[in-house]
Amino acid sequence: MNTAEYEIVRHFAARRAQVYDAWTRPEHFARWFGPRVFTTPADRVVLEVRPGGSWRATLVGEEGFEVTLEGVYRKVAGPGRLVFTTGDPDNPGDGPASVVTVSLEEHQDGTTMRFHQAGVNTDAEHAEQARAGWLEFFDRLAEHLAVQGASAGSTSSKVSSPPRA
């Protein structure tokens, strides 16, 4: 069984509670979760944010292609920390599975997010593809937070790319 892990650190010009909401409220999660070539309809997102609660998001692509990602929350200590699985790392079968830890630390100028993912049945190539995917997701998260900040009258956005419609 192959294992791989990595960490991504991102700073967002948003309050920690806003970043946490983006991870825990379906209407926010749907705006950033997934690659740009997919949409994630809010009514296809389930976030039971409590230890033992499940999460599930269905991403919809061209011509009706769909992929569903899901897991279980292991720890919830909002608004500072979430630990959840993708797949079932305790019983992964032949497929990849992982444990993700998201830690949020608020600063005067925004929030630092530390994202750590440790996977089983994951070789180095798959881990690098997953990391690249998360980097795209987090670009979209920054855009979503910037739009939220702009609609709230904030001028602290540091994102230069336009938000996705």
Side-chain angles (χ1 to χ4, degrees):
M1 177 173 6
N2 294 320
T3 61
E5 67 181 291
Y6 55 89
E7 182 172 81
I8 299 169
V9 179
R10 285 290 296 261
H11 185 78
F12 300 107
R15 291 185 348 265
R16 179 170 73 166
Q18 289 174 290
V19 181
Y20 185 77
D21 283 353
W23 278 99
T24 59
R25 293 180 54 194
E27 66 273 19
H28 294 289
F29 190 82
R31 296 216 176 255
W32 65 269
F33 187 81
R36 292 185 191 283
V37 298
F38 286 91
T39 59
T40 307
D43 65 347
R44 306 282 304 271
V45 174
V46 174
L47 304 174
E48 298 172 347
V49 186
R50 59 176 173 73
S54 64
W55 73 271
R56 181 175 49 260
T58 300
L59 289 66
V60 180
E62 293 182 11
E63 299 179 19
F65 175 79
E66 294 185 1
V67 62
T68 298
L69 303 174
E70 61 189 341
V72 174
Y73 292 99
R74 288 189 170 180
K75 295 179 185 174
V76 176
R81 183 176 160 108
L82 291 169
V83 179
F84 59 90
T85 66
T86 63
D88 185 356
D90 296 327
N91 187 21
D94 293 332
S98 66
V99 176
V100 170
T101 301
V102 176
S103 301
L104 304 172
E105 185 178 337
E106 192 164 47
H107 303 283
Q108 186 174 2
D109 64 341
T111 301
T112 299
M113 178 185 75
R114 293 187 183 285
F115 175 93
H116 179 267
Q117 185 167 26
V120 296
N121 289 345
T122 302
D123 60 25
E125 181 180 351
H126 181 266
E128 187 52 39
Q129 290 171 349
R131 184 180 183 283
W134 282 111
L135 288 170
E136 182 178 352
F137 292 16
F138 298 154
D139 287 346
R140 293 185 66 201
L141 174 55
E143 293 164 9
H144 168 68
L145 293 168
V147 168
Q148 272 196 307
S151 67
S154 170
T155 59
S156 64
S157 173
K158 296 178 183 176
V159 177
S160 59
S161 56
R164 182 171 175 253

